[in-house]
Amino acid sequence: MTSDNLIDRGRFMGHPLDDIAELEELRLQAEDLARRFAAGEREAAEVSARDSHEVVRVVLASDGRISEVDVFFHWQRRISSDQLGAAMVEAADEAARLRIEAWSNGVSQATGNEPDVPAPASSPTGSGLTEPGDESAVNFARGLFHVLTDSFARLDDLAAEAERAALAISTSADPEDRVRVTLSGERLSAVSIDNAWLRMAHADQVGAAVIQALQQAYADREQAIRLRNSWPYDELERMTGDPAQLLANLGLGPRQAPRSD
């Protein structure tokens, strides 16, 4: 073997200590990313907002969907009945804006001192981490590879379904057909309330009926995205839906405490 060949070979074979240093740097970056994602999720876990007339409050769950609609008892003194639906849409839009803002702030301002986030280990074998070469991490990576391979094979179909879902406009009602809600993609774009029922209904009943209609709307939407909710995409969502847990499973971040739910 010539000296030139030895030099060329050396270019592709780094020193083992260099590999360990790169792995340690990758760990530190992954831990920082996990902290930032966790901070963003905490900030955006539950966001609420009101309309400009202060007659409606909308609460978003951690998945960004509307989980609660509160109609204040004084609403009729501030707006007319045909304005109530628009007030709900306004409050929902504001809550969505605040949720994005809260998540972004949480990610950008994370310092590593946030509560309930495991402190980073000081070495590749530090406590709280799974080694990338650990059997559980290897098995997880192998399973993720197979799921990704199957996912890529149907990527065009998934993209087409996602585009249809994003543009889809659908209307659903509560069981008594007193309230109808319209979703444009995932966004609440209209709320229609039966005026005869609205005149007699208590504010709490109105909010509850809107939530029932929204729950039906979300269920109808899930039926319209069957491909995303089937193999392999449901498994891909399970494996990658929580960024911090994904890093932990790959051995690149702190182990996550089991979820209470």
Side-chain angles (χ1 to χ4, degrees):
M1 181 178 295
T2 67
S3 59
D4 288 342
N5 288 335
L6 288 172
I7 293 173
D8 289 339
R9 185 179 180 186
R11 292 173 182 169
F12 296 98
M13 297 181 61
H15 193 282
L17 292 179
D18 292 336
D19 294 337
I20 293 175
E22 290 177 3
L23 178 59
E24 177 67 4
E25 179 62 24
L26 180 60
R27 281 187 180 279
L28 294 175
Q29 293 176 3
E31 289 166 6
D32 179 67
L33 185 62
R35 283 195 298 268
R36 292 182 181 278
F37 276 131
E41 290 174 358
R42 281 195 305 275
E43 290 296 319
E46 185 176 282
V47 176
S48 66
R50 301 184 182 191
D51 68 300
S52 57
H53 297 286
E54 295 281 328
V55 297
V56 172
R57 174 177 173 267
V58 167
V59 179
L60 302 184
S62 58
D63 60 1
R65 288 180 167 179
I66 298 172
S67 61
E68 186 177 338
V69 175
D70 296 324
V71 179
F72 302 136
F73 70 92
H74 62 265
W75 73 268
Q76 290 175 310
R77 297 201 296 267
R78 296 193 175 186
I79 62 174
S80 61
S81 58
D82 59 356
Q83 294 177 302
L84 184 57
M88 294 176 182
V89 172
E90 181 187 355
D93 284 344
E94 178 64 9
R97 186 190 69 80
L98 292 176
R99 180 174 184 270
I100 294 173
E101 185 178 277
W103 191 90
S104 299
N105 288 339
V107 170
S108 63
Q109 297 178 12
T111 64
N113 298 319
E114 293 77 14
D116 302 323
V117 178
S122 58
S123 71
T125 57
S127 61
L129 293 175
T130 300
E131 285 292 305
D134 180 84
E135 184 177 359
S136 64
V138 171
N139 289 337
F140 182 86
R142 185 180 294 115
L144 181 59
F145 174 78
H146 290 309
V147 172
L148 285 171
T149 300
D150 289 346
S151 299
F152 288 146
R154 303 183 66 189
L155 202 55
D156 289 342
D157 294 336
L158 181 67
E161 181 183 87
E163 183 177 3
R164 288 194 302 270
L167 299 175
I169 299 176
S170 59
T171 300
S172 304
D174 71 305
E176 303 299 326
D177 200 19
R178 301 162 300 187
V179 173
R180 289 178 175 268
V181 298
T182 300
L183 295 182
S184 298
E186 284 282 328
R187 173 181 174 265
L188 176 66
S189 58
V191 179
S192 175
I193 307 174
D194 180 83
N195 280 326
W197 174 76
L198 183 58
R199 284 194 296 269
M200 299 180 296
H202 189 274
D204 290 343
Q205 293 176 307
V206 177
V210 172
I211 286 298
Q212 286 181 316
L214 280 167
Q215 289 172 342
Q216 183 60 52
Y218 292 140
D220 292 343
R221 182 169 172 77
E222 291 300 315
Q223 291 297 316
I225 51 175
R226 294 179 182 274
L227 182 59
R228 196 186 74 179
N229 293 325
S230 63
W231 173 269
Y233 300 109
D234 56 348
E235 182 65 8
L236 183 62
E237 172 64 22
R238 185 190 69 80
M239 298 179 80
T240 65
D242 184 337
Q245 185 63 53
L246 172 62
L247 292 171
N249 289 338
L250 289 171
L252 298 174
R255 292 189 182 96
Q256 302 298 297
R259 292 181 179 270
S260 59
D261 54 1

